[in-house]
Amino acid sequence: MLDVFGSNPTQMDYKGQKLSEQIFQGIILVSAVVGFIYGYMAEQFGWTVYIVMAGFALSCLLTLPSWPMYRHNPLKWLPVQELGTEDKKPAERELKRHT
């Protein structure tokens, strides 16, 4: 049963993280404004809290799982380097100068 969870990719790229954060903040902001207005008009602070909590639950559902829309720009990793640089003496290594 747990094999189903292991087959799903869990990595989110950087642009996907940014999109996820923007969606999360947007839903929280909209639900807070709508909840405040509705709670003010109904004169019930409880409705404000319920609407904000529903917005939080919706934003968590949309942003916490690594949906495919958050994985469009995968990272390109560097190729594997050989271990030959460790055997060189310090005098044989090239000095890197920062300018």
Side-chain angles (χ1 to χ4, degrees):
M1 181 173 142
L2 295 177
D3 294 335
V4 173
F5 296 114
S7 65
N8 292 334
T10 58
Q11 292 82 18
M12 191 183 294
D13 58 50
Y14 291 119
K15 290 183 181 181
Q17 289 177 1
K18 181 179 179 184
L19 176 63
S20 174
E21 181 70 23
Q22 290 173 341
I23 290 172
F24 183 81
Q25 289 178 356
I27 291 173
I28 294 293
L29 179 67
V30 169
S31 69
V33 169
V34 169
F36 178 77
I37 292 171
Y38 186 76
Y40 183 77
M41 293 178 71
E43 297 180 1
Q44 290 288 323
F45 182 71
W47 280 106
T48 301
V49 173
Y50 293 144
I51 292 172
V52 171
M53 286 176 24
F56 177 75
L58 176 66
S59 64
C60 285
L61 180 68
L62 291 177
T63 59
L64 289 181
S66 182
W67 298 109
M69 66 181 176
Y70 301 132
R71 291 184 271 127
H72 284 296
N73 303 303
L75 294 175
K76 294 178 183 158
W77 296 95
L78 293 175
V80 177
Q81 295 180 354
E82 294 186 24
L83 299 174
T85 58
E86 294 178 357
D87 298 335
K88 292 182 180 179
K89 296 178 184 176
E92 295 175 358
R93 292 184 190 166
E94 293 182 24
L95 294 176
K96 295 181 180 179
R97 305 251 183 225
H98 297 285
T99 56

Coordinates of all heavy atoms in Angstrom, one line a residue:
M1 N 0.8 -1.2 0.0 CA 0.0 0.0 0.0 C 0.9 1.3 0.0 O 0.5 2.2 -0.6 CB -0.9 0.0 1.2 CG -1.8 1.2 1.3 SD -3.0 0.9 2.7 CE -3.0 2.6 3.2
L2 N 2.0 1.2 0.7 CA 2.9 2.4 0.7 C 3.7 2.6 -0.6 O 4.3 3.7 -0.7 CB 3.8 2.3 1.9 CG 3.1 2.4 3.3 CD1 4.2 2.2 4.4 CD2 2.3 3.6 3.5
D3 N 3.7 1.6 -1.4 CA 4.4 1.7 -2.7 C 3.8 2.8 -3.6 O 4.4 3.4 -4.4 CB 4.4 0.4 -3.5 CG 5.2 -0.6 -2.7 OD1 6.1 -0.2 -2.0 OD2 5.0 -1.8 -2.9
V4 N 2.5 3.1 -3.4 CA 1.8 4.1 -4.2 C 2.4 5.5 -3.9 O 2.6 6.3 -4.8 CB 0.3 4.1 -3.9 CG1 -0.4 5.2 -4.6 CG2 -0.3 2.8 -4.3
F5 N 2.7 5.7 -2.6 CA 3.3 7.0 -2.2 C 4.7 7.1 -2.7 O 5.2 8.2 -3.0 CB 3.2 7.2 -0.7 CG 1.7 7.3 -0.3 CD1 1.2 6.3 0.6 CD2 0.9 8.3 -0.6 CE1 -0.1 6.3 1.0 CE2 -0.4 8.3 -0.2 CZ -0.9 7.3 0.6
G6 N 5.4 6.1 -2.7 CA 6.8 6.1 -3.1 C 7.1 6.4 -4.6 O 8.1 6.9 -5.0
S7 N 6.1 6.1 -5.4 CA 6.2 6.3 -6.9 C 5.9 7.7 -7.3 O 6.3 8.1 -8.4 CB 5.3 5.3 -7.6 OG 3.9 5.7 -7.4
N8 N 5.3 8.6 -6.5 CA 5.1 9.9 -6.8 C 6.3 10.8 -6.6 O 6.9 10.8 -5.6 CB 3.9 10.5 -6.0 CG 2.6 9.8 -6.3 OD1 2.4 9.3 -7.4 ND2 1.7 9.8 -5.4
P9 N 6.6 11.6 -7.6 CA 7.8 12.5 -7.4 C 7.4 13.6 -6.4 O 6.3 14.1 -6.3 CB 8.0 13.1 -8.8 CG 6.8 12.9 -9.6 CD 6.1 11.8 -9.0
T10 N 8.4 13.9 -5.5 CA 8.2 14.9 -4.5 C 8.9 16.2 -4.6 O 8.8 17.1 -3.8 CB 8.5 14.3 -3.1 OG1 9.9 13.9 -3.1 CG2 7.7 13.1 -2.8
Q11 N 9.8 16.3 -5.7 CA 10.6 17.5 -5.8 C 9.8 18.5 -6.6 O 9.1 18.3 -7.5 CB 11.9 17.2 -6.6 CG 12.8 16.3 -5.9 CD 12.5 14.8 -6.0 OE1 11.7 14.4 -6.8 NE2 13.0 14.0 -5.0
M12 N 10.0 19.8 -6.1 CA 9.3 20.9 -6.8 C 10.5 21.9 -7.2 O 11.4 22.1 -6.4 CB 8.4 21.6 -5.7 CG 7.5 22.6 -6.3 SD 6.5 23.5 -5.0 CE 5.5 22.2 -4.4
D13 N 10.4 22.3 -8.4 CA 11.5 23.2 -8.9 C 11.3 24.6 -8.3 O 10.3 24.9 -7.6 CB 11.6 23.2 -10.4 CG 10.3 23.7 -11.0 OD1 9.7 24.7 -10.6 OD2 9.8 23.0 -11.9
Y14 N 12.3 25.5 -8.5 CA 12.3 26.8 -7.9 C 11.1 27.7 -8.4 O 10.5 28.4 -7.6 CB 13.6 27.5 -8.1 CG 14.8 26.9 -7.3 CD1 15.9 26.4 -8.0 CD2 14.7 26.9 -6.0 CE1 16.9 25.8 -7.3 CE2 15.7 26.3 -5.2 CZ 16.8 25.8 -5.9 OH 17.8 25.2 -5.2
K15 N 10.9 27.6 -9.7 CA 9.7 28.4 -10.2 C 8.4 27.8 -9.7 O 7.5 28.6 -9.4 CB 9.8 28.4 -11.7 CG 10.9 29.2 -12.3 CD 10.9 29.2 -13.8 CE 12.1 30.0 -14.3 NZ 12.1 30.1 -15.8
G16 N 8.3 26.5 -9.5 CA 7.2 25.9 -8.9 C 7.0 26.3 -7.5 O 5.8 26.5 -7.0
Q17 N 8.1 26.5 -6.7 CA 8.0 26.9 -5.3 C 7.5 28.4 -5.3 O 6.6 28.7 -4.4 CB 9.3 26.9 -4.7 CG 9.8 25.5 -4.4 CD 11.2 25.4 -3.8 OE1 11.8 26.5 -3.6 NE2 11.7 24.2 -3.5
K18 N 7.9 29.2 -6.2 CA 7.5 30.6 -6.3 C 6.0 30.6 -6.6 O 5.2 31.4 -6.0 CB 8.3 31.3 -7.3 CG 7.9 32.8 -7.4 CD 8.8 33.5 -8.5 CE 8.4 35.0 -8.6 NZ 9.1 35.6 -9.6
L19 N 5.6 29.8 -7.6 CA 4.2 29.8 -8.0 C 3.3 29.3 -6.8 O 2.2 29.9 -6.5 CB 4.0 28.9 -9.2 CG 2.5 28.7 -9.7 CD1 1.9 30.0 -10.1 CD2 2.5 27.6 -10.8
S20 N 3.8 28.3 -6.1 CA 3.0 27.7 -5.0 C 2.9 28.8 -3.9 O 1.8 28.9 -3.3 CB 3.8 26.5 -4.5 OG 3.2 26.0 -3.3
E21 N 3.9 29.5 -3.6 CA 3.9 30.6 -2.6 C 2.9 31.7 -3.0 O 2.2 32.2 -2.2 CB 5.3 31.1 -2.4 CG 5.4 32.2 -1.3 CD 5.1 31.7 0.1 OE1 5.3 30.5 0.3 OE2 4.8 32.5 0.9
Q22 N 2.9 32.1 -4.3 CA 2.0 33.1 -4.7 C 0.6 32.7 -4.7 O -0.3 33.4 -4.3 CB 2.4 33.5 -6.2 CG 3.7 34.3 -6.3 CD 4.1 34.5 -7.7 OE1 3.6 33.9 -8.6 NE2 5.0 35.5 -7.9
I23 N 0.3 31.4 -5.0 CA -1.1 30.9 -4.9 C -1.5 30.9 -3.5 O -2.6 31.2 -3.1 CB -1.2 29.5 -5.6 CG1 -1.0 29.6 -7.1 CG2 -2.5 28.8 -5.3 CD1 -0.9 28.3 -7.8
F24 N -0.6 30.4 -2.6 CA -1.0 30.3 -1.2 C -1.3 31.7 -0.6 O -2.3 31.8 0.1 CB 0.2 29.7 -0.4 CG 0.0 29.5 1.0 CD1 -0.7 28.4 1.5 CD2 0.5 30.3 2.0 CE1 -0.9 28.1 2.8 CE2 0.3 30.1 3.3 CZ -0.4 29.0 3.7
Q25 N -0.4 32.6 -0.9 CA -0.7 34.0 -0.3 C -1.9 34.6 -0.9 O -2.7 35.3 -0.2 CB 0.5 34.9 -0.6 CG 1.7 34.5 0.2 CD 2.9 35.4 -0.1 OE1 2.9 36.2 -1.0 NE2 4.0 35.1 0.7
G26 N -2.2 34.4 -2.2 CA -3.4 35.0 -2.9 C -4.7 34.4 -2.3 O -5.6 35.1 -2.0
I27 N -4.7 33.1 -2.1 CA -5.9 32.5 -1.5 C -6.1 33.0 -0.1 O -7.3 33.3 0.3 CB -5.8 30.9 -1.6 CG1 -5.9 30.5 -3.0 CG2 -6.9 30.3 -0.8 CD1 -5.7 29.0 -3.2
I28 N -5.1 33.0 0.7 CA -5.2 33.5 2.1 C -5.7 34.9 2.1 O -6.6 35.3 2.9 CB -3.9 33.4 2.8 CG1 -3.5 31.9 3.0 CG2 -3.9 34.1 4.2 CD1 -4.4 31.1 3.9
L29 N -5.1 35.8 1.3 CA -5.5 37.2 1.2 C -7.0 37.3 0.8 O -7.7 38.1 1.5 CB -4.6 38.0 0.3 CG -4.9 39.5 0.1 CD1 -4.7 40.2 1.4 CD2 -4.1 40.1 -1.0
V30 N -7.4 36.6 -0.3 CA -8.8 36.8 -0.7 C -9.7 36.2 0.3 O -10.8 36.8 0.6 CB -8.9 36.0 -2.1 CG1 -10.4 35.9 -2.4 CG2 -8.2 36.7 -3.2
S31 N -9.4 35.1 0.9 CA -10.3 34.6 1.9 C -10.4 35.5 3.2 O -11.5 35.6 3.8 CB -9.9 33.1 2.3 OG -8.7 33.2 3.0
A32 N -9.3 36.1 3.5 CA -9.3 37.0 4.7 C -10.2 38.2 4.4 O -11.0 38.7 5.2 CB -7.9 37.5 5.0
V33 N -10.1 38.8 3.2 CA -10.9 40.0 2.8 C -12.4 39.6 2.7 O -13.2 40.3 3.3 CB -10.4 40.6 1.5 CG1 -11.4 41.6 0.9 CG2 -9.0 41.2 1.7
V34 N -12.7 38.5 2.1 CA -14.1 38.0 1.9 C -14.6 37.7 3.3 O -15.8 38.0 3.7 CB -14.2 36.8 1.0 CG1 -15.5 36.2 1.0 CG2 -13.9 37.2 -0.4
G35 N -13.8 37.0 4.1 CA -14.3 36.6 5.5 C -14.5 37.9 6.3 O -15.5 37.9 7.1
F36 N -13.7 38.9 6.2 CA -13.9 40.1 7.0 C -15.1 40.8 6.6 O -15.9 41.2 7.4 CB -12.7 41.0 6.9 CG -12.8 42.3 7.6 CD1 -12.7 42.3 9.0 CD2 -13.1 43.5 7.0 CE1 -12.8 43.5 9.7 CE2 -13.3 44.6 7.7 CZ -13.1 44.7 9.0
I37 N -15.3 41.0 5.3 CA -16.5 41.7 4.8 C -17.8 40.9 5.2 O -18.7 41.5 5.7 CB -16.4 41.9 3.3 CG1 -15.3 42.9 3.0 CG2 -17.7 42.4 2.7 CD1 -14.9 43.0 1.5
Y38 N -17.8 39.6 5.0 CA -19.0 38.8 5.3 C -19.2 38.8 6.8 O -20.4 39.0 7.3 CB -18.9 37.4 4.8 CG -20.1 36.6 5.0 CD1 -21.2 36.8 4.2 CD2 -20.3 35.7 6.0 CE1 -22.4 36.1 4.4 CE2 -21.4 35.0 6.2 CZ -22.5 35.2 5.4 OH -23.7 34.5 5.6
G39 N -18.2 38.7 7.6 CA -18.3 38.7 9.1 C -18.8 40.1 9.6 O -19.6 40.2 10.5
Y40 N -18.4 41.1 8.9 CA -18.8 42.5 9.3 C -20.2 42.7 9.0 O -21.0 43.3 9.8 CB -17.9 43.5 8.6 CG -18.2 44.9 9.0 CD1 -17.7 45.5 10.2 CD2 -18.9 45.8 8.1 CE1 -18.0 46.8 10.5 CE2 -19.2 47.1 8.5 CZ -18.7 47.6 9.7 OH -19.0 48.9 10.0
M41 N -20.6 42.2 7.8 CA -22.0 42.4 7.4 C -23.0 41.6 8.2 O -24.1 42.0 8.5 CB -22.2 42.2 5.9 CG -21.5 43.2 5.0 SD -21.6 42.8 3.3 CE -23.3 43.2 3.0
A42 N -22.6 40.4 8.6 CA -23.4 39.5 9.3 C -23.3 39.7 10.8 O -24.0 39.2 11.6 CB -23.1 38.0 9.0
E43 N -22.3 40.6 11.2 CA -22.0 40.9 12.6 C -21.7 39.6 13.4 O -22.1 39.5 14.5 CB -23.1 41.7 13.2 CG -23.4 43.0 12.6 CD -24.5 43.8 13.2 OE1 -25.1 43.3 14.2 OE2 -24.7 44.9 12.8
Q44 N -21.0 38.7 12.8 CA -20.5 37.5 13.4 C -19.1 37.2 13.1 O -18.7 37.0 11.9 CB -21.3 36.3 12.8 CG -22.8 36.3 13.3 CD -22.9 35.9 14.7 OE1 -22.1 35.1 15.3 NE2 -23.8 36.6 15.4
F45 N -18.2 37.4 14.1 CA -16.8 37.2 13.9 C -16.5 35.7 13.6 O -15.5 35.4 12.9 CB -16.0 37.6 15.2 CG -14.5 37.5 15.0 CD1 -13.8 38.3 14.2 CD2 -13.8 36.5 15.7 CE1 -12.5 38.2 14.1 CE2 -12.5 36.3 15.6 CZ -11.8 37.2 14.8
G46 N -17.3 34.8 14.0 CA -17.1 33.4 13.8 C -17.1 33.1 12.3 O -16.3 32.2 11.8
W47 N -17.9 33.8 11.5 CA -18.0 33.5 10.0 C -16.6 33.9 9.4 O -16.1 33.3 8.5 CB -19.1 34.3 9.4 CG -20.4 33.6 9.5 CD1 -21.4 33.9 10.3 CD2 -20.8 32.3 8.9 NE1 -22.4 32.9 10.2 CE2 -22.1 32.0 9.3 CE3 -20.1 31.5 7.9 CZ2 -22.7 30.9 8.9 CZ3 -20.8 30.4 7.5 CH2 -22.1 30.1 7.9
T48 N -16.0 35.0 9.9 CA -14.7 35.4 9.4 C -13.7 34.3 9.7 O -12.9 34.0 8.8 CB -14.3 36.7 10.2 OG1 -15.3 37.7 9.9 CG2 -12.9 37.2 9.7
V49 N -13.7 33.8 10.9 CA -12.7 32.7 11.2 C -13.0 31.5 10.3 O -12.0 30.9 9.8 CB -12.8 32.4 12.7 CG1 -11.9 31.2 13.0 CG2 -12.4 33.6 13.5
Y50 N -14.2 31.1 10.1 CA -14.6 29.9 9.3 C -14.1 30.1 7.9 O -13.6 29.2 7.2 CB -16.1 29.6 9.3 CG -16.6 29.2 10.7 CD1 -17.8 29.5 11.1 CD2 -15.8 28.4 11.5 CE1 -18.3 29.1 12.4 CE2 -16.2 27.9 12.8 CZ -17.5 28.3 13.2 OH -17.9 27.9 14.4
I51 N -14.4 31.3 7.3 CA -14.0 31.5 5.9 C -12.5 31.6 5.8 O -11.9 31.0 4.8 CB -14.6 32.8 5.4 CG1 -16.2 32.7 5.3 CG2 -14.1 33.3 4.1 CD1 -16.9 33.9 5.0
V52 N -11.7 32.1 6.7 CA -10.3 32.1 6.6 C -9.7 30.7 6.8 O -8.8 30.3 6.1 CB -9.7 33.1 7.7 CG1 -8.2 32.9 7.8 CG2 -10.0 34.5 7.3
M53 N -10.3 29.9 7.7 CA -9.9 28.6 7.8 C -10.2 27.7 6.6 O -9.4 26.9 6.2 CB -10.6 27.9 9.1 CG -10.0 28.4 10.4 SD -10.8 27.9 11.9 CE -11.6 26.4 11.5
A54 N -11.3 28.0 5.9 CA -11.6 27.3 4.7 C -10.6 27.7 3.6 O -10.2 26.8 2.8 CB -13.0 27.6 4.2
G55 N -10.3 29.0 3.5 CA -9.3 29.4 2.6 C -7.9 28.8 2.8 O -7.2 28.4 1.9
F56 N -7.5 28.7 4.1 CA -6.3 28.0 4.5 C -6.3 26.6 4.1 O -5.3 26.1 3.5 CB -6.1 28.1 6.0 CG -4.8 27.4 6.5 CD1 -3.6 28.0 6.2 CD2 -4.9 26.2 7.1 CE1 -2.4 27.4 6.6 CE2 -3.8 25.6 7.6 CZ -2.5 26.2 7.3
A57 N -7.4 25.9 4.3 CA -7.5 24.4 3.9 C -7.4 24.3 2.4 O -6.7 23.4 1.9 CB -8.8 23.8 4.4
L58 N -8.1 25.2 1.6 CA -8.0 25.1 0.2 C -6.6 25.4 -0.3 O -6.1 24.7 -1.2 CB -9.0 26.1 -0.4 CG -9.0 26.3 -1.9 CD1 -9.5 25.0 -2.6 CD2 -9.8 27.4 -2.4
S59 N -5.9 26.4 0.3 CA -4.6 26.7 -0.2 C -3.6 25.6 0.2 O -2.7 25.3 -0.6 CB -4.1 28.0 0.4 OG -4.0 27.9 1.8
C60 N -3.8 24.9 1.3 CA -2.9 23.8 1.6 C -3.1 22.6 0.6 O -2.2 22.0 0.2 CB -3.2 23.3 3.0 SG -2.5 24.4 4.3
L61 N -4.4 22.4 0.3 CA -4.7 21.4 -0.7 C -4.1 21.6 -2.1 O -3.6 20.7 -2.8 CB -6.2 21.2 -0.8 CG -6.7 20.1 -1.8 CD1 -6.3 18.7 -1.3 CD2 -8.2 20.2 -2.0
L62 N -4.0 22.9 -2.5 CA -3.5 23.3 -3.8 C -2.0 23.4 -3.8 O -1.4 23.3 -4.9 CB -4.1 24.6 -4.2 CG -5.6 24.5 -4.6 CD1 -6.1 25.9 -5.0 CD2 -5.9 23.5 -5.7
T63 N -1.4 23.7 -2.7 CA 0.1 24.1 -2.7 C 1.0 23.1 -2.0 O 2.2 23.0 -2.4 CB 0.3 25.4 -2.1 OG1 -0.1 25.4 -0.7 CG2 -0.4 26.5 -2.9
L64 N 0.5 22.3 -1.1 CA 1.4 21.4 -0.4 C 1.8 20.2 -1.2 O 3.0 19.8 -1.2 CB 0.9 21.0 1.0 CG 0.8 22.1 2.0 CD1 0.3 21.6 3.3 CD2 2.2 22.7 2.3
P65 N 0.9 19.5 -1.9 CA 1.4 18.4 -2.7 C 2.2 18.9 -3.9 O 2.0 20.0 -4.4 CB 0.1 17.7 -3.2 CG -1.0 18.2 -2.3 CD -0.5 19.5 -1.8
S66 N 3.1 18.1 -4.4 CA 3.9 18.5 -5.5 C 3.1 18.1 -6.8 O 3.4 17.1 -7.5 CB 5.3 17.8 -5.5 OG 6.1 18.2 -6.5
W67 N 2.2 19.0 -7.1 CA 1.4 18.8 -8.3 C 2.3 18.9 -9.6 O 3.3 19.6 -9.5 CB 0.2 19.7 -8.4 CG -0.7 19.6 -7.3 CD1 -0.9 20.5 -6.2 CD2 -1.7 18.6 -7.0 NE1 -1.9 20.1 -5.4 CE2 -2.4 18.9 -5.8 CE3 -2.0 17.4 -7.7 CZ2 -3.3 18.0 -5.3 CZ3 -2.9 16.6 -7.2 CH2 -3.6 16.9 -6.0
P68 N 1.9 18.3 -10.7 CA 2.7 18.5 -11.9 C 2.9 19.9 -12.4 O 3.9 20.2 -13.0 CB 2.0 17.7 -13.0 CG 1.2 16.7 -12.2 CD 0.8 17.4 -10.9
M69 N 2.0 20.8 -12.1 CA 2.2 22.2 -12.5 C 3.4 22.9 -11.8 O 3.8 23.9 -12.3 CB 0.9 23.0 -12.3 CG 0.5 23.2 -10.9 SD -1.0 24.1 -10.8 CE -1.3 24.1 -9.0
Y70 N 3.9 22.3 -10.7 CA 5.0 22.8 -10.0 C 6.3 22.2 -10.4 O 7.4 22.5 -9.9 CB 4.8 22.7 -8.5 CG 3.6 23.3 -7.9 CD1 2.8 22.6 -7.1 CD2 3.2 24.6 -8.2 CE1 1.6 23.2 -6.5 CE2 2.1 25.2 -7.7 CZ 1.3 24.5 -6.9 OH 0.2 25.0 -6.4
R71 N 6.3 21.3 -11.4 CA 7.5 20.6 -11.8 C 7.8 20.8 -13.3 O 8.3 19.9 -14.0 CB 7.4 19.1 -11.5 CG 7.4 18.9 -10.0 CD 7.3 17.4 -9.7 NE 5.9 17.0 -9.6 CZ 5.4 16.0 -10.3 NH1 6.1 15.2 -11.1 NH2 4.1 15.7 -10.2
H72 N 7.5 22.0 -13.9 CA 7.8 22.2 -15.3 C 9.2 22.5 -15.6 O 9.7 22.4 -16.8 CB 6.9 23.3 -15.8 CG 5.5 22.9 -16.0 ND1 5.1 22.0 -16.9 CD2 4.3 23.3 -15.4 CE1 3.8 21.8 -16.9 NE2 3.3 22.6 -15.9
N73 N 10.0 23.0 -14.7 CA 11.4 23.5 -14.9 C 12.3 22.7 -14.0 O 12.9 23.2 -13.1 CB 11.5 25.0 -14.6 CG 10.5 25.8 -15.4 OD1 10.5 25.7 -16.7 ND2 9.6 26.5 -14.8
P74 N 12.7 21.4 -14.4 CA 13.6 20.7 -13.5 C 15.0 21.2 -13.5 O 15.4 21.9 -14.5 CB 13.5 19.3 -14.1 CG 13.1 19.5 -15.6 CD 12.3 20.7 -15.6
L75 N 15.7 21.0 -12.5 CA 17.1 21.5 -12.4 C 18.0 20.6 -13.2 O 17.8 19.4 -13.3 CB 17.6 21.4 -10.9 CG 16.9 22.3 -9.9 CD1 17.4 22.0 -8.5 CD2 17.2 23.7 -10.3
K76 N 19.0 21.2 -13.8 CA 20.0 20.5 -14.6 C 21.2 20.4 -13.7 O 21.9 21.4 -13.4 CB 20.3 21.3 -15.9 CG 19.1 21.3 -16.8 CD 19.4 22.1 -18.1 CE 18.1 22.1 -18.9 NZ 18.1 23.2 -19.8
W77 N 21.5 19.2 -13.3 CA 22.6 19.0 -12.4 C 24.0 18.9 -13.2 O 24.0 18.6 -14.4 CB 22.4 17.6 -11.7 CG 21.2 17.7 -10.8 CD1 20.0 17.2 -11.1 CD2 21.1 18.2 -9.5 NE1 19.1 17.5 -10.0 CE2 19.8 18.1 -9.0 CE3 22.1 18.8 -8.6 CZ2 19.4 18.5 -7.8 CZ3 21.6 19.2 -7.4 CH2 20.3 19.1 -7.0
L78 N 25.1 19.2 -12.5 CA 26.4 19.1 -13.1 C 26.7 17.7 -13.3 O 26.3 16.8 -12.5 CB 27.4 19.8 -12.2 CG 27.3 21.3 -12.1 CD1 28.3 21.8 -11.1 CD2 27.5 22.0 -13.4
P79 N 27.6 17.4 -14.3 CA 28.0 16.0 -14.5 C 28.9 15.6 -13.4 O 29.6 16.4 -12.7 CB 28.7 16.0 -15.9 CG 29.1 17.4 -16.1 CD 28.1 18.3 -15.4
V80 N 29.1 14.3 -13.2 CA 29.9 13.8 -12.1 C 31.4 14.0 -12.5 O 31.8 13.8 -13.7 CB 29.7 12.2 -12.0 CG1 30.6 11.7 -11.0 CG2 28.2 12.0 -11.6
Q81 N 32.2 14.5 -11.6 CA 33.6 14.8 -11.8 C 34.4 13.6 -11.3 O 34.0 13.0 -10.3 CB 34.0 16.1 -11.1 CG 33.3 17.3 -11.7 CD 33.8 18.6 -11.0 OE1 34.5 18.5 -10.0 NE2 33.3 19.7 -11.4
E82 N 35.5 13.4 -11.9 CA 36.4 12.4 -11.5 C 37.2 12.8 -10.2 O 37.4 14.0 -10.0 CB 37.4 12.0 -12.6 CG 36.7 11.4 -13.8 CD 37.7 10.9 -14.8 OE1 38.8 10.6 -14.5 OE2 37.3 10.8 -16.0
L83 N 37.7 11.8 -9.5 CA 38.4 12.1 -8.3 C 39.9 12.4 -8.4 O 40.6 12.4 -7.5 CB 38.2 11.0 -7.3 CG 36.7 10.7 -6.9 CD1 36.7 9.4 -6.1 CD2 36.1 11.8 -6.2
G84 N 40.3 12.7 -9.6 CA 41.7 12.9 -9.9 C 42.3 14.2 -9.3 O 43.5 14.3 -9.1
T85 N 41.5 15.1 -8.9 CA 42.0 16.4 -8.3 C 42.5 16.2 -6.9 O 43.3 17.0 -6.5 CB 40.9 17.5 -8.4 OG1 39.8 17.0 -7.6 CG2 40.5 17.8 -9.8
E86 N 42.1 15.2 -6.2 CA 42.6 15.0 -4.8 C 44.0 14.5 -4.8 O 44.7 14.7 -3.8 CB 41.6 14.0 -4.1 CG 40.2 14.5 -3.9 CD 39.4 13.5 -3.3 OE1 39.8 12.4 -3.0 OE2 38.2 13.8 -3.0
D87 N 44.5 13.8 -5.8 CA 45.8 13.3 -5.8 C 46.9 14.3 -6.1 O 48.1 14.1 -5.8 CB 45.9 12.1 -6.8 CG 44.9 11.0 -6.5 OD1 44.6 10.9 -5.3 OD2 44.6 10.3 -7.4
K88 N 46.5 15.5 -6.6 CA 47.5 16.5 -7.0 C 48.0 17.2 -5.7 O 47.3 17.3 -4.7 CB 46.9 17.5 -7.9 CG 46.5 17.0 -9.3 CD 46.0 18.1 -10.1 CE 45.7 17.6 -11.5 NZ 45.1 18.7 -12.3
K89 N 49.3 17.6 -5.8 CA 49.9 18.3 -4.7 C 49.3 19.8 -4.8 O 48.9 20.2 -5.8 CB 51.4 18.3 -4.9 CG 52.0 17.0 -4.8 CD 53.5 17.1 -5.0 CE 54.1 15.7 -4.9 NZ 55.5 15.7 -5.2
P90 N 49.4 20.5 -3.7 CA 48.8 21.8 -3.7 C 49.5 22.7 -4.7 O 48.9 23.6 -5.2 CB 49.1 22.3 -2.2 CG 49.2 21.1 -1.4 CD 49.7 20.0 -2.3
A91 N 50.8 22.5 -5.0 CA 51.5 23.4 -5.9 C 51.0 23.1 -7.3 O 51.1 24.0 -8.2 CB 53.0 23.1 -5.8
E92 N 50.5 21.9 -7.6 CA 50.1 21.6 -9.0 C 48.7 22.1 -9.3 O 48.3 22.1 -10.4 CB 50.2 20.1 -9.2 CG 51.6 19.5 -9.1 CD 51.6 18.0 -9.2 OE1 50.5 17.4 -9.3 OE2 52.7 17.4 -9.2
R93 N 47.9 22.3 -8.3 CA 46.5 22.8 -8.5 C 46.5 24.2 -9.0 O 47.4 25.1 -8.6 CB 45.7 22.7 -7.2 CG 45.5 21.3 -6.7 CD 44.6 21.4 -5.5 NE 44.6 20.1 -4.9 CZ 44.1 19.8 -3.7 NH1 43.6 20.8 -2.9 NH2 44.1 18.6 -3.2
E94 N 45.5 24.6 -9.8 CA 45.4 25.9 -10.2 C 44.8 26.8 -9.1 O 43.8 26.4 -8.5 CB 44.5 26.0 -11.5 CG 45.1 25.3 -12.7 CD 44.2 25.5 -13.9 OE1 43.4 26.4 -13.9 OE2 44.3 24.6 -14.8
L95 N 45.3 28.0 -9.0 CA 44.7 28.9 -8.0 C 43.6 29.6 -8.6 O 43.7 30.1 -9.8 CB 45.8 29.9 -7.5 CG 46.9 29.2 -6.7 CD1 47.9 30.3 -6.3 CD2 46.4 28.6 -5.4
K96 N 42.5 29.7 -7.9 CA 41.4 30.5 -8.5 C 41.4 31.9 -7.9 O 41.4 32.1 -6.7 CB 40.0 29.8 -8.1 CG 39.9 28.4 -8.7 CD 38.6 27.8 -8.3 CE 38.4 26.5 -8.9 NZ 37.1 25.8 -8.6
R97 N 41.4 32.8 -8.8 CA 41.4 34.2 -8.4 C 40.0 34.8 -8.5 O 39.4 34.7 -9.6 CB 42.4 35.0 -9.2 CG 43.8 34.4 -9.3 CD 44.7 35.3 -8.5 NE 46.1 34.8 -8.6 CZ 46.9 34.7 -7.6 NH1 46.4 35.1 -6.4 NH2 48.1 34.2 -7.7
H98 N 39.6 35.4 -7.5 CA 38.3 36.1 -7.5 C 38.5 37.6 -7.9 O 39.3 38.3 -7.3 CB 37.6 36.0 -6.2 CG 37.3 34.6 -5.8 ND1 36.3 33.9 -6.4 CD2 37.9 33.8 -4.9 CE1 36.2 32.7 -5.9 NE2 37.2 32.6 -5.0
T99 N 37.8 38.0 -8.9 CA 38.0 39.4 -9.3 C 36.7 40.2 -9.0 O 35.6 39.7 -8.9 CB 38.3 39.5 -10.8 OG1 37.3 38.8 -11.5 CG2 39.7 38.9 -11.0

